[in-house]
């Protein structure tokens, strides 16, 4: 099962971009969210840019990538156990944590 194989980051590229994308895609498949699966497939190149930047932010003394894979495993376990509410809560926390790690907890101002 792809979600199980990608949750722990086995076979990771330098920044975990491809494995991270495959993990998110597998989560959408496990949730039977076909619309979202098709959407992330269409946006894969754009998502990869953001994930690459996020991966760069994890390279350093803090072992950030290991924390990300711990979060992936935490998300995978309730999916495997049939606990979608727990998986949803953990995925939301993971995405918010990724955003905060990337932007160092600051709000990104996109206004011109």
């Amino acid at each position: 099962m792809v979600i199980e194989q990608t949750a722990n980051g086995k076979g990771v590229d330098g920044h975990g971009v491809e494995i991270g994308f495959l993990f998110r895609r597998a989560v959408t498949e496990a949730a039977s969210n076909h619309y979202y699966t098709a959407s992330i497939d269409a946006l894969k190149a754009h998502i990869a840019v953001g994930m690459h930047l996020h991966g760069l932010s994890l390279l350093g003394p803090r072992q950030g990538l290991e924390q990300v894979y711990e979060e992936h495993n935490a998300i995978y376990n309730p999916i495997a156990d049939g606990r979608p509410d727990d998986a949803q809560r953990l995925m939301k926390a993971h995405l918010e944590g990724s955003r905060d790690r990337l932007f160092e907890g600051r709000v990104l101002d996109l206004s011109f």
Side-chain angles (χ1 to χ4, degrees):
M1 179 180 228
V2 172
I3 193 168
E4 183 177 10
Q5 295 167 346
T6 59
N8 62 13
K10 297 292 187 216
V12 171
D13 54 11
H15 307 293
V17 173
E18 183 65 21
I19 206 84
F21 179 82
L22 291 173
F23 176 75
R24 283 161 182 75
R25 190 177 190 289
V27 169
T28 67
E29 289 177 344
S32 297
N33 192 336
H34 306 295
Y35 176 78
Y36 188 60
T37 301
S39 297
I40 66 169
D41 284 346
L43 296 170
K44 182 178 181 179
H46 300 284
I47 293 168
V49 170
M51 291 179 69
H52 181 74
L53 290 173
H54 181 256
L56 289 173
S57 74
L58 297 174
L59 296 178
R62 291 179 284 134
Q63 303 299 323
L65 204 51
E66 288 181 22
Q67 177 184 343
V68 169
Y69 295 129
E70 288 174 12
E71 293 172 12
H72 285 184
N73 275 311
I75 295 162
Y76 165 73
N77 291 328
I79 291 171
D81 295 341
R83 297 181 287 120
D85 292 340
D86 290 339
Q88 180 182 24
R89 178 181 50 77
L90 290 164
M91 182 57 129
K92 181 180 180 196
H94 170 64
L95 293 174
E96 289 172 346
S98 292
R99 178 200 60 211
D100 292 346
R101 284 187 291 268
L102 179 59
F103 297 112
E104 299 174 339
R106 295 178 300 211
V107 175
L108 180 63
D109 183 4
L110 296 176
S111 63
F112 293 99

